[in-house]
């Protein structure tokens, strides 16, 4: 197989400025960067799947849908898990998952939506923490949801999102996401401190 030539491979995608490929010291072209549209579609897919998954879990807690326990069943589980006021925390967890999930899915206040999911999932990991990693007894699923929500809070929703039309969050900043994730972790920590 012939090796690529050492000539310049600088290319430009339509509508973009700057180079998206160049040769390094080996003379082999660096891979082309994805277009902004590709990033937006990828973020949209991640937001919708993660967000609707969380909203479904929240609706299990709030309404008993999809085989969930509703407020009474979830409240009893939280009380058994050492949380005071199990029913109140079932409402808080259900609202955090439902509203946070829907916010992620449509890209509305994405850093706060991600923080709501992060805070809830940190508590889920603490309750489930059995020393196992792999499902069904382990925390891999909860950890994946937590990392996905934190990643979306940090990166922002992309351009295919409601946030794009809100002037105060249109220009996503890493600091917004980091502050929101920190807030979610602090609230999760305070909630865990209440646990017996």
């Amino acid at each position: 197989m012939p090796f690529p030539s050492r000539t310049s491979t600088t290319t430009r995608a339509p509508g973009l400025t700057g180079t998206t490929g160049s040769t390094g010291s080996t003379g082999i072209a660096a891979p082309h960067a994805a277009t902004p549209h590709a990033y937006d579609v990828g973020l949209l897919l991640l937001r919708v799947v993660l967000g609707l998954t969380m909203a479904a879990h929240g609706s299990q807690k709030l309404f008993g849908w999809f085989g969930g326990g509703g407020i009474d069943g979830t409240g009893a589980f939280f009380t058994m898990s050492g949380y005071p006021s199990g029913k109140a925390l079932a409402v808080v967890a259900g609202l955090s998952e439902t509203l946070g999930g829907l916010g992620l899915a449509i890209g509305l206040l994405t850093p706060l939506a991600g923080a709501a999911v992060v805070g809830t999932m940190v508590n889920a990991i603490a309750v489930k923490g059995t020393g196992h990693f792999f499902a069904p007894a382990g925390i891999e699923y909860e950890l994946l949801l937590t990392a996905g929500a934190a990643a979306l809070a940090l990166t922002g929703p992309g351009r295919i999102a409601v946030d794009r039309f809100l002037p105060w969050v249109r220009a996503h900043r890493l600091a917004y996401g980091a502050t929101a994730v920190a807030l979610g972790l602090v609230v999760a920590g305070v909630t865990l401190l209440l646990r017996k």
Side-chain angles (χ1 to χ4, degrees):
M1 176 164 100
F3 289 99
S5 69
R6 293 186 181 264
T7 60
S8 174
T9 60
T10 302
T11 59
R12 290 193 165 110
L16 296 178
T17 58
T19 60
T20 58
S22 61
T23 57
S25 61
T26 63
I28 298 174
H32 294 284
T35 65
H37 182 69
Y39 286 118
D40 292 334
V41 171
L43 287 170
L44 174 65
L45 177 64
L46 179 60
R47 282 193 355 254
V48 168
V49 171
L50 193 146
L52 293 181
T53 299
M54 290 308 304
H57 279 283
S59 67
Q60 286 181 306
K61 291 173 179 62
L62 293 174
F63 312 116
W65 295 351
F66 310 113
I71 292 173
D72 291 334
T74 304
F77 172 76
F78 283 169
T79 300
M80 186 178 67
S81 298
Y83 290 101
S85 306
K87 280 188 178 182
L89 282 175
V91 171
V92 169
L95 287 173
S96 296
E97 290 179 0
T98 302
L99 297 177
L102 291 175
L104 285 176
I106 65 172
L108 176 63
L109 303 175
T110 305
L112 291 177
V117 171
V118 166
T120 304
M121 289 292 93
V122 166
N123 275 270
I125 290 169
V127 168
K128 194 171 183 181
T130 61
H132 295 87
F133 179 74
F134 296 105
I139 61 167
E140 67 175 329
Y141 176 67
E142 292 82 0
L143 186 62
L144 182 62
L145 292 172
T146 305
L152 287 169
L154 293 170
T155 62
R159 293 179 299 171
I160 308 170
V162 174
D163 281 354
R164 184 172 184 196
F165 303 103
L166 303 176
W168 60 91
V169 290
R170 181 180 305 144
H172 181 78
R173 303 281 189 265
L174 177 61
Y176 297 166
T179 302
V181 170
L183 176 65
L185 292 172
V186 167
V187 171
V190 168
T191 306
L192 286 171
L193 289 175
L194 298 174
R195 198 171 159 222
K196 297 174 188 171

